[in-house]
Amino acid sequence: MNNYKINLEEKDIPKNYLNIMYYFQKYLGKLPDPPLHPGTKQPAGPADLAPIFPMELIKQEVSLDEFIPVPDEVHEIYKQYRPSPLYRAYNLEKFLGTPAKIYYKYEGNNATGSHKLNTALTQAYYNKQAGVKKIYTETGAGQWGSALSIACNHFGLECEVFMVKTSYENKPYRKVIMNMFGAKVHASPSTETEFGRKILAVEPDSTGSLGMAISEALECVVKSGGTAKYALGSVLNHVLLHQTIIGLEAKKQMEIAECYPDIVIGCCGGGSNFAGIVFPFLADKLSGKVKELEIIGVEPASCPSLTKGEYKYDFGDTAQMTPLLKMYTLGADFMPSPIHAGGLRYHGMAPLVSFIHHEGLMSARAYEQEEVFKVGVDFAKLEGVIPAPESTHAIKAAIDEALRCKETGEAKTILFNLSGHGFLDLKGYEDYLSGKLV
Amino acid sequence: MNNYKINLEEKDIPKNYLNIMYYFQKYLGKLPDPPLHPGTKQPAGPADLAPIFPMELIKQEVSLDEFIPVPDEVHEIYKQYRPSPLYRAYNLEKFLGTPAKIYYKYEGNNATGSHKLNTALTQAYYNKQAGVKKIYTETGAGQWGSALSIACNHFGLECEVFMVKTSYENKPYRKVIMNMFGAKVHASPSTETEFGRKILAVEPDSTGSLGMAISEALECVVKSGGTAKYALGSVLNHVLLHQTIIGLEAKKQMEIAECYPDIVIGCCGGGSNFAGIVFPFLADKLSGKVKELEIIGVEPASCPSLTKGEYKYDFGDTAQMTPLLKMYTLGADFMPSPIHAGGLRYHGMAPLVSFIHHEGLMSARAYEQEEVFKVGVDFAKLEGVIPAPESTHAIKAAIDEALRCKETGEAKTILFNLSGHGFLDLKGYEDYLSGKLV
């Protein structure tokens, strides 16, 4: 039997992120529709985004360069937790009795416990370079908020987080991490903003949504008079760009394993961990380096933007302050059920992911939370990692594909992104184990 | 700058545990005093221990062989999470401005989040081999209980855990992990046992202790009529033996770093993670391979067995059912304060660790919980790992030694064991951050 883990060395951490837009232009001959200014309905230019993002990140948002460098300072911090390991899921394969080979890239070995730190560091770095003093953000399950608080601490920035209220109450430990790294955290909707107070006036018991929390964070940025900026943990092009470090490392590791995936799978909330594992392989497909590649995005049935949403321009937030984004969306006022235990609660899907779905370059599917938590427990028992509820969606799809291989006898190679661990999501597991999940 | 992480490959996982008893006999010419039968006060023989442990583990308890093989089946499971990484704490060194080199071995990358799984697997394996159906145990903070539940699940054994009540209430997530892996968990003192009911009759609000929980587990084993055995997560020789895999790996990693530690540090509860990192280096000192080696054990000021206990024969449990062990002890009825947030709450210290302390081969110190939680937060910010409160004791000592080097100008090499992560101890951190720790 070969190795369970395929490790790279620190010198193998990629020096550049991979920009999928380059491949869209060069090989598809087209690009996703641009963001529109909500007032004029004209393409939003750098000037429209400058109040909320530093210029370097805005440039990355629209860049058509193939590679964009990882800043040296960020590369140095990456060494604390990257390269992340690639695992061969031998025990899972054996349990399923499948001829398929299952690999997973594990992003949980850092103080956030998820992939979110990859982009948080880069965003904090460019904000620091631009003289920004403070970053406002929103967070759902709390992975993004804790990642940004860690990144801001590294670069000496203040950080203030609006956390979706249902998570704030049910995932208190993630709030502790944010506090530990010096961030302020509010349950959203909050009384800190006009928008929050307006929501609470109408619905005092609102459990919150990512759309609302984004609106609150943006309102604070606008009112800061230029000293503060905003950071988003998913959805936007530059965020997905930074996550490609996952797939770039995974490609090197698959080379060591002398394998190339037939199927690449990621769970989809805003789209960043999915894009992170998928885009470097998609680039090979677009450029003709590989002929066959199946790409699968997996989302929760309770927030099914890719499988039930509409591909159209929509706002990124509930208060309709953001530019209009062309994406699969359930509507900016969509409220996921508060009983939904996992993350992946955003009403829309990253424009880049929406684009490849619309172009027929990937398929999407949705699972109920009961079935993914079951898979999470099975996976923990077999592979010795307690997965984040988000990541269990990807595991479930990998298992279904491996079982399909068992039927057909095909020895396909399946790769998925295990985007984080579930140590801070054990309340969800407890509810599942005690039959309280609906 | 060199690498932050020094990884080994799976083929480097040691095939044997290292038995420090061999070195005591060969190089010191003496052995620790043996356990005594509580009735006869004569040395307890295998027959005395056979009702609670399988014979293979009893043999390991008294073996004088230098090496004891890691069972193949256990070695295979080790590959899921071992070898564990060795880190150079560059950022901590820089922050302290010390000429010292600080290395730490990190045991947190598994589903328990601590070193406890190393011995849990071996113990479950030998119980399975002996035809045992069920294992009873106790757990304090819950790391041991979750480790044993994972190990029992691997080998198809039932597992039932008595968890110290204050931890049961304050660390609910560890209970979820035990349930996830199929174990039953009771808050101890419980109504499940005569001993528990007796305690509750006198003191209904008892917050519990490890000594009490051990008594409850032992009572269940005795009543099982031979189908169930008992397992302990620390203290006994065979448990410490299994943990030497930590130090054996660390030695190989220090070789790669072309360094040998001047100082080796571990935190001390029952003694297992301390022994795990220390014994393989102590063996070098005993055999004369190295001349100078400072060994430091660190315990909480609220449970100071090494620094304030007496070296004498004492019971391992409150109900006085165990053999008498020669150890530094605060008394089998010692009750650590329930406000103590970390683990390391056992009234005694492993006989092997007590022996080397008594022989003057190590030094011991105790820290208050306020100061170790502060160090935990600093360490998380600098090194990107949130440490378990237990492990912060070792970090604090490493920092103090590094600062001493700063004063003297000595460039010593310091190695400590970061025995686990703190994701499931964030309540303690929250109390610290909000000034609620006493």
Side-chain angles (χ1 to χ4, degrees):
Chain A
M1 193 173 271
N2 290 311
N3 283 347
Y4 287 79
K5 290 177 292 292
I6 299 164
N7 286 319
L8 296 173
E9 300 190 33
E10 287 167 28
K11 65 176 174 50
D12 301 320
I13 298 173
K15 301 274 187 200
N16 293 287
Y17 303 117
L18 180 138
N19 184 8
I20 198 69
M21 292 274 275
Y22 167 88
Y23 292 84
F24 290 163
Q25 186 183 53
K26 180 158 181 188
Y27 297 103
L28 288 181
K30 56 181 158 179
L31 292 170
D33 292 332
L36 301 182
H37 187 283
T40 65
K41 302 278 158 55
Q42 295 301 305
D48 297 316
L49 297 170
I52 54 173
F53 297 116
M55 194 48 69
E56 276 307 314
L57 292 177
I58 296 172
K59 281 189 202 159
Q60 292 185 0
E61 193 65 20
V62 296
S63 170
L64 294 174
D65 294 346
E66 183 175 10
F67 297 110
I68 291 177
V70 178
D72 287 345
E73 291 82 347
V74 172
H75 199 267
E76 193 59 32
I77 304 173
Y78 278 166
K79 290 183 189 167
Q80 285 194 337
Y81 71 98
R82 306 205 67 84
S84 69
L86 181 81
Y87 286 87
R88 173 87 183 263
Y90 281 115
N91 288 352
L92 177 59
E93 289 172 19
K94 201 169 141 195
F95 174 76
L96 298 172
T98 176
K101 293 180 190 171
I102 307 175
Y103 289 90
Y104 62 94
K105 179 79 168 160
Y106 180 47
E107 292 289 313
N109 288 343
N110 65 65
T112 11
S114 83
H115 67 293
K116 294 283 186 184
L117 192 55
N118 299 333
T119 181
L121 289 166
T122 319
Q123 292 192 51
Y125 170 78
Y126 282 117
N127 274 282
K128 179 70 176 183
Q129 290 301 103
V132 173
K133 302 292 176 214
K134 182 170 185 172
I135 303 182
Y136 287 96
T137 197
E138 78 296 325
T139 195
Q143 290 182 338
W144 168 242
S146 30
L148 191 66
S149 66
I150 291 172
C152 283
N153 173 72
H154 268 297
F155 291 108
L157 295 165
E158 285 180 70
C159 182
E160 201 161 325
V161 183
F162 290 90
M163 185 172 185
V164 174
K165 194 186 279 171
T166 179
S167 292
Y168 185 93
E169 285 163 359
N170 287 309
K171 308 200 175 196
Y173 282 8
R174 287 235 171 76
K175 179 171 77 70
V176 180
I177 296 183
M178 294 181 238
N179 291 335
M180 184 185 296
F181 287 88
K184 255 192 212 168
V185 189
H186 311 285
S188 169
S190 78
T191 55
E192 299 286 315
T193 64
E194 270 179 48
F195 180 71
R197 290 189 291 273
K198 209 154 71 181
I199 298 266
L200 290 171
V202 181
E203 197 187 347
D205 297 331
S206 169
T207 51
S209 72
L210 273 173
M212 286 180 198
I214 295 173
S215 297
E216 291 205 274
L218 284 173
E219 184 184 320
C220 292
V221 172
V222 169
K223 286 185 177 158
S224 78
T227 60
K229 299 272 184 201
Y230 169 73
L232 194 66
S234 191
V235 180
L236 299 180
N237 299 1
H238 68 274
V239 184
L240 276 55
L241 171 78
H242 304 154
Q243 295 297 356
T244 58
I245 197 156
I246 301 171
L248 290 167
E249 284 181 7
K251 272 179 75 171
K252 291 188 195 183
Q253 288 161 313
M254 295 298 286
E255 270 170 36
I256 293 173
E258 297 176 355
C259 259
Y260 196 95
D262 299 296
I263 307 174
V264 184
I265 300 170
C267 64
C268 291
S272 79
N273 92 76
F274 170 84
I277 191 89
V278 160
F279 283 1
F281 294 96
L282 174 62
D284 283 351
K285 189 178 180 189
L286 291 172
S287 67
K289 265 195 203 163
V290 298
K291 286 267 166 345
E292 296 288 328
L293 178 68
E294 204 179 334
I295 295 172
I296 303 172
V298 194
E299 56 188 13
S302 60
C303 194
S305 55
L306 278 174
T307 52
K308 299 218 171 137
E310 205 180 325
Y311 189 50
K312 64 173 186 184
Y313 274 106
D314 195 7
F315 288 98
D317 72 321
T318 312
Q320 310 197 340
M321 296 167 75
T322 68
L324 288 160
L325 300 172
K326 183 75 174 279
M327 59 185 180
Y328 283 90
T329 176
L330 299 160
D333 56 355
F334 174 78
M335 279 286 291
S337 160
I339 53 136
H340 172 57
L344 313 176
R345 299 164 58 92
Y346 190 60
H347 67 272
M349 183 52 58
L352 291 178
V353 175
S354 294
F355 177 72
I356 69 167
H357 187 40
H358 190 69
E359 292 291 319
L361 292 164
M362 64 175 282
S363 66
R365 64 182 69 165
Y367 291 119
E368 299 289 342
Q369 61 177 346
E370 275 267 343
E371 52 188 348
V372 297
F373 271 101
K374 180 187 177 306
V375 154
V377 173
D378 289 345
F379 187 81
K381 288 180 177 175
L382 292 162
E383 293 293 320
V385 180
I386 299 172
E390 292 85 347
S391 315
T392 59
H393 292 77
I395 301 172
K396 168 75 175 149
I399 289 175
D400 285 357
E401 291 305 309
L403 290 174
R404 196 187 313 263
C405 286
K406 188 178 179 179
E407 275 174 31
T408 63
E410 289 170 290
K412 286 190 178 176
T413 298
I414 301 169
L415 168 67
F416 70 89
N417 192 14
L418 190 68
S419 56
H421 66 60
F423 283 119
L424 302 182
D425 304 281
L426 287 167
K427 173 126 192 356
Y429 278 102
E430 186 175 31
D431 290 347
Y432 164 72
L433 291 167
S434 59
K436 280 186 206 153
L437 280 191
V438 189
Chain B
M1 191 173 270
N2 291 311
N3 282 348
Y4 287 80
K5 291 177 291 291
I6 299 164
N7 286 319
L8 296 174
E9 299 190 33
E10 286 166 29
K11 65 177 174 48
D12 301 319
I13 298 172
K15 301 274 187 200
N16 292 288
Y17 303 116
L18 179 139
N19 184 9
I20 198 68
M21 292 275 274
Y22 167 87
Y23 291 85
F24 291 163
Q25 186 182 54
K26 179 160 182 187
Y27 298 103
L28 288 181
K30 55 182 158 178
L31 292 171
D33 293 333
L36 300 183
H37 187 282
T40 65
K41 301 278 158 56
Q42 294 302 305
D48 296 316
L49 296 170
I52 54 174
F53 296 117
M55 195 47 70
E56 277 306 314
L57 293 177
I58 295 171
K59 281 189 203 162
Q60 293 186 357
E61 193 65 19
V62 296
S63 170
L64 294 174
D65 295 345
E66 183 174 9
F67 297 110
I68 291 177
V70 177
D72 287 345
E73 291 82 347
V74 172
H75 200 266
E76 193 60 31
I77 304 173
Y78 278 165
K79 291 185 189 167
Q80 285 194 338
Y81 70 98
R82 303 205 69 84
S84 69
L86 181 81
Y87 287 87
R88 172 88 183 263
Y90 281 116
N91 287 352
L92 178 59
E93 290 172 19
K94 200 170 142 193
F95 174 76
L96 298 173
T98 177
K101 292 180 191 171
I102 307 175
Y103 289 90
Y104 60 95
K105 180 79 168 159
Y106 182 47
E107 290 289 313
N109 287 343
N110 65 65
T112 12
S114 84
H115 67 294
K116 295 284 186 183
L117 193 55
N118 299 332
T119 181
L121 289 165
T122 319
Q123 292 192 51
Y125 170 78
Y126 282 118
N127 274 283
K128 180 70 179 183
Q129 291 300 101
V132 174
K133 301 293 175 213
K134 181 172 187 172
I135 302 182
Y136 287 95
T137 198
E138 79 296 326
T139 195
Q143 290 183 338
W144 168 244
S146 30
L148 190 67
S149 67
I150 290 172
C152 284
N153 174 72
H154 269 297
F155 291 108
L157 295 164
E158 284 181 70
C159 182
E160 202 160 326
V161 183
F162 290 90
M163 185 172 185
V164 175
K165 195 188 277 170
T166 179
S167 292
Y168 185 93
E169 285 164 359
N170 287 308
K171 309 201 174 195
Y173 282 8
R174 286 236 173 74
K175 179 171 76 70
V176 179
I177 295 182
M178 295 180 238
N179 291 334
M180 185 185 294
F181 287 88
K184 255 193 212 168
V185 189
H186 312 286
S188 168
S190 78
T191 55
E192 299 287 316
T193 65
E194 271 179 47
F195 180 72
R197 289 189 293 272
K198 211 156 67 181
I199 298 266
L200 289 172
V202 180
E203 196 188 348
D205 296 331
S206 169
T207 50
S209 73
L210 273 173
M212 286 180 198
I214 294 172
S215 298
E216 291 206 274
L218 284 173
E219 184 183 320
C220 292
V221 171
V222 170
K223 286 185 176 157
S224 77
T227 59
K229 299 272 184 201
Y230 170 72
L232 194 64
S234 193
V235 180
L236 298 180
N237 299 1
H238 69 274
V239 184
L240 275 56
L241 171 78
H242 304 154
Q243 294 297 356
T244 58
I245 197 157
I246 300 171
L248 290 167
E249 283 181 6
K251 273 179 74 170
K252 292 189 195 183
Q253 288 161 313
M254 295 299 286
E255 270 171 37
I256 293 173
E258 296 177 356
C259 261
Y260 195 94
D262 299 296
I263 307 173
V264 183
I265 301 169
C267 64
C268 292
S272 78
N273 92 76
F274 170 85
I277 191 90
V278 160
F279 283 1
F281 294 96
L282 174 62
D284 284 351
K285 189 178 179 188
L286 291 172
S287 67
K289 264 196 203 162
V290 298
K291 286 266 165 346
E292 297 288 328
L293 178 68
E294 204 181 334
I295 295 173
I296 303 172
V298 195
E299 57 188 13
S302 61
C303 194
S305 56
L306 278 175
T307 52
K308 299 216 172 141
E310 205 180 327
Y311 189 50
K312 64 173 188 183
Y313 273 105
D314 195 8
F315 288 98
D317 72 320
T318 312
Q320 311 196 339
M321 297 167 76
T322 69
L324 287 160
L325 300 173
K326 183 75 174 279
M327 59 183 178
Y328 284 90
T329 174
L330 299 160
D333 55 356
F334 174 79
M335 278 287 291
S337 161
I339 54 136
H340 172 58
L344 313 176
R345 300 164 56 92
Y346 189 60
H347 68 273
M349 183 53 57
L352 291 178
V353 176
S354 296
F355 177 72
I356 68 166
H357 188 39
H358 190 67
E359 292 291 318
L361 293 164
M362 65 174 283
S363 66
R365 63 183 69 167
Y367 292 118
E368 299 288 343
Q369 60 177 347
E370 275 267 345
E371 52 187 349
V372 296
F373 271 103
K374 180 186 176 308
V375 154
V377 173
D378 289 345
F379 188 80
K381 287 179 176 174
L382 291 162
E383 293 295 318
V385 179
I386 298 172
E390 292 85 350
S391 315
T392 58
H393 292 76
I395 301 172
K396 169 75 176 148
I399 289 175
D400 284 357
E401 291 307 307
L403 290 175
R404 195 186 313 263
C405 287
K406 189 178 177 179
E407 277 174 29
T408 62
E410 289 170 292
K412 287 190 179 176
T413 297
I414 302 168
L415 167 67
F416 70 89
N417 192 14
L418 189 69
S419 56
H421 67 60
F423 283 118
L424 302 182
D425 304 281
L426 287 168
K427 173 125 190 0
Y429 279 101
E430 185 174 32
D431 290 347
Y432 164 72
L433 291 167
S434 58
K436 280 186 206 152
L437 281 192
V438 188

